[in-house]
Amino acid sequence: MDNTIFYIQMLDHRLTVQFVKSLLKVDAHMKALKTLCKRKAVNHREGDALVLKWVRQVSSKAVQILKKYVAEISKVRNDNDFSTPQSGTRKRRLNPESLSQTVIAVFTIGSLVLVCPSTDVKDVIPILHTIMTSPNQDPQTKGLSGLTISMKEKAPSLYIQSWVTMGKICLVDDKLAKRYIPLFIQELERSDSAAVRNNIMITMTDFCVRYTALVDCYIPKVSNSLRDSCEVVRRQTFVLLSRLLQRDYVKWKGVLFLRFLLTLVDDSQKIRRLADYLFGNILKVKAPLLAYNSFVEVIFVLNDCRAHAGHCESHGSAQTTTQLFSIRGNDAKSRAQRMHIYVSLLKQMAPEQLLATSAKLCAEVLAAAADGLLNIDDVTGQSVLQVNVYSMLSVIMFQILGVVEDALRILCCKEMRLQAGRNAETAEVEDEGGDGGVAAIQAAKGRAVTQASKKNLIQHAVPIFIELKRLLESKNSPLTGCLMECLRVLLKDYKNEIEDILVADKQLQRELIYDMHKYEAAKTKSKVTEAVTEIRRSDGFRSPAGHAGDGSSSVYARVAEKLGTGGKVASAVADVAAKVTVRSVLKEVNRDAGTPPLRSMSLPKVKSGAADATSGAAGRDRHSDVLESLRKRQSFEDLDE
């Protein structure tokens, strides 16, 4: 017991007289002192009284240090304001050690509040409020502390620590928390200090656990930190909100899910890895239908498109916020980022969900565009003089085109098309390997999904594509090529049935068959070219002069042996060989041919300006006749004509 008293006195002395020099040691001293007081006391009530006694002593000492520093910094400011260069007096400066000691004192107050929530901090709250809001023009607070300078600039470490301590005080005082939570949110949005934003983010997470109902309405503003300029703040926000979501303090509703999607394409590789794990493992188990239910809305949100009334953001956010959480644009980077998000969501869906998503895309995006619900028409005639309105309408058109283009790209991506087929094949393999009952059910389910997919394509998707193609062609839209590419990919597994599927549009049928043949020929030719390059690189092939034909023939024979002797492969090999032969022959023919001298070339003769008047008049007549004949000539731009 004597040793316990000795240690209590020693720790109390270090906290009140010497004052610990490191923030890391303050909490350790607090916990040790509380534990020793509990062990020294006979009962629980005596232990609480003993803890409260030394807490009041340490708190009183810390408050004195804080008040002294605030008074000194105000006095220094006043003295420097009245000093002039002519007086020869030097400006007073504060001792850096006093600032460090004040920061430790403020931190100690916060630790005391957590150790003993009944600590009296009425004298501290006005001072902390003044530091947090300085310079403050409120006459009440200004008269209270006399602080009229910006602590953010003069003492940034004290300013940052004041927010942390105020957060700890609010955790044990619900009435104070109700008053200060809006102030924390305001500073989170406006502060230019990454340290302040990071500390407030941690504080808001604690508030969400302690006061869930109070903080719930501020979650959209808290989630704005997912797009913070500082990587540390973004990663901290992602980790903290993910923990809250897993513990059900925050729900996957509203804009939170849509904003979390942007972390999949964050600039930081660490954040991208965390996001992949969250969406691929945790969210897939915790909310398996979330990706399916929100998929179409995601397309509109990422393109920042509000043209469809059913897919506007439920929470009317400011325009700057919606642009912050969108990836609109037709450049390669924006398209790749959007497709990465779409593919990540498609990987979470079951085959039947993929089929339903395909039907929703056709009905809510493509059919809406074909029926005019999504207006892709040019509206330049509606507001010629109102420049702002015209630019806004142009932006809306651009966003709608982005939505339609994304829908077409999603429909023809491999994650959308192959999942059902793969599921059926896997189930059939499992059925052959054993465990008959479950495998047979899975195989039947896979075949049913495949048949339903084909039926949906023929009965619903193709008619929508036909109508949309006619509309796009009438508007000369650049999306026509994207639509044809999507159709080619969707129908390439039904080559023998294209005539029956596209019986309503013979022209589209012929165009699609031609595009398929052209694509396959280009693909085969690309394979042949790559094979030739690979063989030449592996053999170190160099064709000597005069023996190019023999070397090339051996190479192409090996290519034909490698890729097969099919008609398309043979044709592609022959085309590549012919091009190489023609190129080598032309090079051989032009090897010794020199450039003809300049004097041998026929040059136009220019008449001198000293011509007589009669010749000039005759020349002008001839010129006028030539111009007149040129005007009457017909221009034939088409090669067939």
Side-chain angles (χ1 to χ4, degrees):
M1 184 65 68
D2 294 338
N3 291 335
T4 303
I5 297 174
F6 171 75
Y7 285 124
I8 291 175
Q9 293 176 351
M10 182 187 68
L11 292 174
D12 184 57
H13 177 75
R14 294 197 63 182
L15 286 172
T16 56
V17 180
Q18 295 181 352
F19 233 82
V20 182
K21 302 295 183 182
S22 175
L23 294 178
L24 299 176
K25 297 179 180 179
V26 172
D27 285 333
H29 281 73
M30 295 289 180
K31 293 178 181 178
L33 194 54
K34 181 178 180 180
T35 303
L36 292 174
C37 290
K38 293 288 186 180
R39 292 184 60 181
K40 180 180 180 298
V42 178
N43 51 41
H44 183 72
R45 181 177 298 178
E46 183 181 351
D48 292 341
L50 189 59
V51 170
L52 184 59
K53 178 181 178 181
W54 67 258
V55 164
R56 288 176 178 173
Q57 294 177 0
V58 177
S59 176
S60 175
K61 177 67 174 178
V63 173
Q64 290 178 8
I65 295 175
L66 178 59
K67 289 182 177 180
K68 181 180 178 181
Y69 180 80
V70 171
E72 287 181 357
I73 198 172
S74 301
K75 185 177 180 181
V76 169
R77 172 62 184 272
N78 295 332
D79 293 344
N80 292 337
D81 288 342
F82 285 105
S83 63
T84 59
Q86 290 79 7
S87 62
T89 58
R90 295 181 179 180
K91 291 187 176 181
R92 294 181 55 187
R93 295 183 180 179
L94 291 174
N95 187 3
E97 294 184 0
S98 62
L99 174 60
S100 176
Q101 190 178 25
T102 306
V103 172
I104 295 175
V106 174
F107 181 83
T108 304
I109 293 173
S111 299
L112 289 173
V113 170
L114 296 181
V115 170
C116 183
S118 60
T119 305
D120 186 11
V121 290
K122 293 181 180 179
D123 296 337
V124 181
I125 293 175
I127 303 176
L128 294 179
H129 177 86
T130 305
I131 295 174
M132 292 160 52
T133 58
S134 62
N136 197 336
Q137 303 301 326
D138 187 0
Q140 295 181 356
T141 55
K142 186 171 68 174
L144 180 64
S145 61
L147 188 62
T148 58
I149 62 175
S150 175
M151 297 297 292
K152 185 189 301 185
E153 300 175 359
K154 297 296 182 181
S157 57
L158 179 59
Y159 178 79
I160 295 171
Q161 194 58 52
S162 298
W163 284 98
V164 176
T165 301
M166 181 62 79
K168 294 177 180 179
I169 296 174
C170 290
L171 282 175
V172 298
D173 190 342
D174 54 347
K175 294 182 179 179
L176 193 67
K178 188 179 295 185
R179 289 172 47 197
Y180 276 91
I181 284 178
L183 186 62
F184 277 93
I185 294 295
Q186 178 181 329
E187 187 68 16
L188 180 64
E189 294 179 330
R190 297 182 180 181
S191 178
D192 55 357
S193 172
V196 173
R197 298 197 302 271
N198 185 65
N199 290 334
I200 292 179
M201 188 63 225
I202 298 173
T203 303
M204 292 305 301
T205 306
D206 294 334
F207 286 166
C208 192
V209 176
R210 181 73 173 82
Y211 312 110
T212 306
L214 288 177
V215 183
D216 187 64
C217 60
Y218 296 107
I219 290 298
K221 293 185 177 181
V222 172
S223 64
N224 288 341
S225 297
L226 290 170
R227 300 293 282 175
D228 195 274
S229 58
C230 178
E231 178 185 347
V232 175
V233 178
R234 294 200 307 272
R235 187 167 68 247
Q236 189 82 278
T237 304
F238 179 87
V239 172
L240 294 174
L241 286 179
S242 299
R243 290 177 180 175
L244 293 176
L245 288 164
Q246 293 180 57
R247 298 167 62 186
D248 290 331
Y249 285 108
V250 177
K251 302 296 183 182
W252 286 104
K253 62 180 181 180
V255 298
L256 187 59
F257 171 71
L258 302 174
R259 293 182 177 181
F260 256 88
L261 291 175
L262 272 295
T263 58
L264 289 167
V265 291
D266 193 89
D267 295 335
S268 172
Q269 185 179 6
K270 295 180 180 179
I271 298 178
R272 292 198 302 269
R273 289 178 179 176
L274 292 173
D276 290 335
Y277 180 78
L278 175 67
F279 283 94
N281 297 275
I282 299 175
L283 184 60
K284 189 175 182 179
V285 177
K286 195 171 185 62
L289 296 178
L290 188 58
Y292 165 69
N293 292 332
S294 306
F295 192 82
V296 178
E297 184 180 4
V298 167
I299 301 176
F300 282 85
V301 171
L302 291 183
N303 284 277
D304 193 19
C305 180
R306 301 189 178 189
H308 198 293
H311 300 288
C312 294
E313 283 190 293
S314 57
H315 301 277
S317 303
Q319 185 176 2
T320 55
T321 304
T322 57
Q323 292 178 359
L324 184 66
F325 287 93
S326 66
I327 320 177
R328 65 177 183 179
N330 201 31
D331 56 292
K333 181 180 179 181
S334 299
R335 289 200 302 265
Q337 288 181 340
R338 292 199 301 270
M339 281 305 301
H340 179 74
I341 294 175
Y342 301 147
V343 169
S344 299
L345 296 180
L346 292 175
K347 289 180 179 178
Q348 302 180 30
M349 299 185 191
E352 57 272 16
Q353 293 176 348
L354 290 173
L355 177 60
T357 301
S358 176
K360 288 173 66 176
L361 288 176
C362 291
E364 299 185 26
V365 179
L366 302 185
D371 295 340
L373 297 179
L374 292 177
N375 185 18
I376 61 173
D377 195 5
D378 189 358
V379 290
T380 55
Q382 295 185 10
S383 180
V384 179
L385 298 178
Q386 299 179 11
V387 181
N388 293 333
V389 175
Y390 170 66
S391 61
M392 181 182 68
L393 293 174
S394 300
V395 169
I396 293 175
M397 288 172 49
F398 183 76
Q399 296 164 356
I400 295 174
L401 291 176
V403 170
V404 177
E405 182 179 2
D406 284 359
L408 294 173
R409 292 180 182 276
I410 292 167
L411 287 172
C412 65
C413 71
K414 63 179 181 179
E415 288 78 13
M416 175 67 80
R417 294 183 296 107
L418 299 180
Q419 288 293 335
R422 287 178 179 176
N423 186 73
E425 294 174 2
T426 305
E428 290 176 359
V429 171
E430 292 178 354
D431 191 13
E432 295 175 359
D435 194 15
V438 178
I441 294 175
Q442 293 294 331
K445 184 178 179 181
R447 288 191 293 268
V449 170
T450 303
Q451 294 175 1
S453 176
K454 181 180 177 181
K455 182 178 179 181
N456 175 72
L457 177 65
I458 296 174
Q459 295 183 358
H460 300 95
V462 170
I464 293 175
F465 273 92
I466 292 174
E467 292 298 325
L468 184 59
K469 178 178 177 292
R470 292 172 181 172
L471 176 65
L472 295 177
E473 287 180 342
S474 66
K475 308 299 181 184
N476 294 324
S477 173
L479 291 180
T480 305
C482 186
L483 184 141
M484 292 298 294
E485 175 67 15
C486 180
L487 261 180
R488 182 193 64 76
V489 173
L490 291 176
L491 297 177
K492 74 175 185 178
D493 296 332
Y494 310 102
K495 297 178 183 178
N496 300 328
E497 306 175 27
I498 288 181
E499 294 183 0
D500 297 333
I501 295 175
L502 299 177
V503 67
D505 194 330
K506 297 293 184 181
Q507 179 65 24
L508 177 60
Q509 180 187 123
R510 291 190 292 268
E511 291 178 1
L512 202 57
I513 293 175
Y514 174 77
D515 287 345
M516 286 184 175
H517 289 317
K518 187 176 179 181
Y519 174 79
E520 291 175 357
K523 187 176 180 180
T524 306
K525 187 176 180 180
S526 176
K527 286 183 179 180
V528 171
T529 305
E530 291 177 359
V532 171
T533 305
E534 182 180 354
I535 292 175
R536 286 180 172 177
R537 187 184 297 111
S538 62
D539 295 346
F541 179 83
R542 293 292 182 272
S543 171
H547 301 283
D550 298 337
S552 299
S553 61
S554 63
V555 170
Y556 297 128
R558 294 171 62 184
V559 171
E561 181 180 355
K562 180 179 180 181
L563 299 179
T565 56
K568 294 180 181 179
V569 174
S571 176
V573 171
D575 289 343
V576 174
K579 285 187 177 181
V580 173
T581 303
V582 169
R583 192 176 300 145
S584 62
V585 170
L586 291 176
K587 184 177 181 180
E588 191 73 21
V589 169
N590 296 327
R591 175 180 298 177
D592 300 328
T595 304
L598 184 62
R599 62 177 177 273
S600 65
M601 298 181 181
S602 59
L603 300 176
K605 296 181 180 181
V606 181
K607 291 185 178 182
S608 63
D612 54 5
T614 57
S615 62
R620 284 194 296 271
D621 294 338
R622 286 196 299 272
H623 294 336
S624 61
D625 295 339
V626 171
L627 292 175
E628 185 64 26
S629 64
L630 289 174
R631 292 191 185 98
K632 294 180 180 180
R633 288 184 61 183
Q634 298 179 359
S635 61
F636 299 99
E637 297 179 355
D638 194 354
L639 294 178
D640 296 337
E641 296 185 30

